Amino acid sequence: MNQDEQVKVLGLWGSPFSKRVEIVLKLKGIPYEYIEDVYGNKSPMLLKYNPIHKKVPVLVHNGRSIAESLVIVEYIEDTWKTSYMILPQDPYERAMARFWAKYVDEKVMVAMWKACWGPKSEREKETKEAYEGLKYLEKELGDKHFFGGETIGFVDIAADFIGYWLGIVQEASGVTIMTAEEFPNLQRWSKEFISNNFIKEVLPPKQKLATLLKAQFGSVTSD
Amino acid sequence: MSSGEVKLIGAWASPFVMRPRVALNLKSVPYEFLQETFGSKSELLLKSNPVHKKIPVLLHADKPVCESNIIVEYIDETWSSSGPSILPSHPYDRAMARFWAAYIDEKWFVALRNFLKAEGEEDKKAVIAQMEEGNALLEKAFIDCSKGKPFFNGDNIGYLDISLGSFLAWLRVTELAASHKLLDEAKTPSLCKWAELFCNDPAVKPVMPETAKLAEFAKKIFAKPQA
């Protein structure tokens, strides 16, 4: 394969957004070169490939760059129509998958983050929002193995934060929103999600991630 | 499968509602338009979109689809053999359309909305500067995506045209309120040309709100409460 055809991923080892892209590439068996960006210091490469948002992940393929993790995931799905497909075939099911992935991104993740590390005055409100958001996901998951049904799909990948990061974030921040008692489906799902062989390969080590989170955000008791 | 009654819950003034209306027109799909009353939410809306309680909601054989851009993709995929393709066919072009559509909703529109809410000259100036920066990015995006053709999507209106074009009436209302051209022929010539073509497209004309009517509506909804 020539240089241009090779897939490059510019990411950050601790970022759930970055990992979404790696998870999809692994599931679909697409080889890629991973380039680590630098925490706290945006590299020239990042600024070149994503001048609009200046954020990871960025995918580079055929000499062109694509940013925004869920846009990248759909690009990978559109480009490599291998046997492992992330999105269902049926247009209605696809719309549902896109809806829930967007919901995870825009509501649940944002609320969770703010509930743990946002301005103190807003934490109660954000905790309630995060809790409600997780309840909707709990219901949507039901007793399916994965949001995608029998196999890991678009929503599962979008919800990688919930599957792995959330537990570590809760421990690091001291804020607990998702408990096993109140969210048995999500609890069961996250265990299955992280035990997938491909996903296991790319997840950041727990202790290293906890240290990073504590360093980046301090503890919940500090102002 | 594309059979089954189509209904759209929405409101004439909403740019988000306009998106699926244009898409349905492009695909020549007849639908019943169920108008919500401003200030209240119908039982049907609350039942069909319990998570967000927002318009638009497409009901296809009574199954709800929510979120305007997701509805547009659904329409494209369901009525794929009818009318032109709304999403581009090449994966990279599709990615660019989705990327810019997300930018428009998350950054560009937020700036536009902030202008309508801005109080005082300083605030307004700051938002205008933000908008002009965004427009410059979109001008370049248009040149890259259109590749010399009239629309972001090429020869025909597509996903990104609909995503940005749905805000044109509100943009005009904002320009009137600001007495300031936000889409300037000198700074963004391609976008200005595109805007005119978009507004005159037969799929768009019937559903684009009239500027005067929208300006009146905007005055009403952004009016400060009586002290």
Side-chain angles (χ1 to χ4, degrees), chain B residues 7-210:
Chain B
K7 296 180 188 166
L8 184 73
I9 308 174
W12 67 272
S14 162
F16 302 100
V17 170
M18 195 177 141
R19 291 170 176 172
R21 296 186 82 185
V22 174
L24 289 165
N25 287 349
L26 283 168
K27 297 290 190 182
S28 306
V29 175
Y31 64 97
E32 190 188 345
F33 188 46
L34 302 169
Q35 284 246 46
E36 289 284 299
T37 312
F38 182 72
S40 73
K41 293 177 199 268
S42 68
E43 274 306 305
L44 183 63
L45 174 62
L46 297 175
K47 186 182 109 183
S48 311
N49 190 1
V51 175
H52 299 297
K53 307 175 177 59
K54 282 183 176 175
I55 50 175
V57 180
L58 185 86
L59 292 164
H60 185 200
D62 295 323
K63 292 204 294 194
V65 184
C66 307
E67 298 293 294
S68 60
N69 285 336
I70 293 174
I71 299 171
V72 171
E73 284 214 58
Y74 173 79
I75 291 167
D76 195 32
E77 289 173 3
T78 303
W79 288 278
S80 53
S81 51
S82 169
S85 226
I86 296 177
L87 269 288
S89 47
H90 192 281
Y92 178 75
D93 296 331
R94 291 161 76 85
M96 287 304 102
R98 290 182 178 125
F99 173 88
W100 286 110
Y103 172 82
I104 286 161
D105 276 2
E106 290 161 22
K107 304 263 157 114
W108 190 88
F109 172 62
V110 171
L112 183 64
R113 204 180 52 196
N114 284 344
F115 182 83
L116 286 162
K117 290 182 181 171
E119 299 188 33
E121 285 313 304
E122 280 309 306
D123 263 358
K124 288 188 172 161
K125 270 195 191 147
V127 179
I128 287 175
Q130 226 187 332
M131 285 229 67
E132 293 190 337
E133 206 182 293
N135 286 346
L137 286 175
L138 291 176
E139 173 81 2
K140 180 166 188 298
F142 178 80
I143 293 164
D144 291 340
C145 295
S146 64
K147 305 180 193 68
K149 302 266 174 99
F151 299 107
F152 282 95
N153 201 39
D155 288 311
N156 299 298
I157 280 178
Y159 183 80
L160 189 50
D161 302 278
I162 293 171
S163 152
L164 183 60
S166 59
F167 287 123
L168 286 171
W170 277 101
L171 184 79
R172 288 203 195 105
V173 165
T174 309
E175 286 179 334
L176 281 174
S179 307
H180 179 97
K181 277 224 132 232
L182 288 166
L183 261 190
D184 189 313
E185 277 96 20
K187 295 181 185 162
T188 52
S190 309
L191 281 183
C192 288
K193 207 166 152 201
W194 162 83
E196 206 180 320
L197 285 171
F198 180 84
C199 292
N200 285 316
D201 189 277
V204 171
K205 246 179 156 167
V207 298
M208 176 72 85
E210 278 170 37

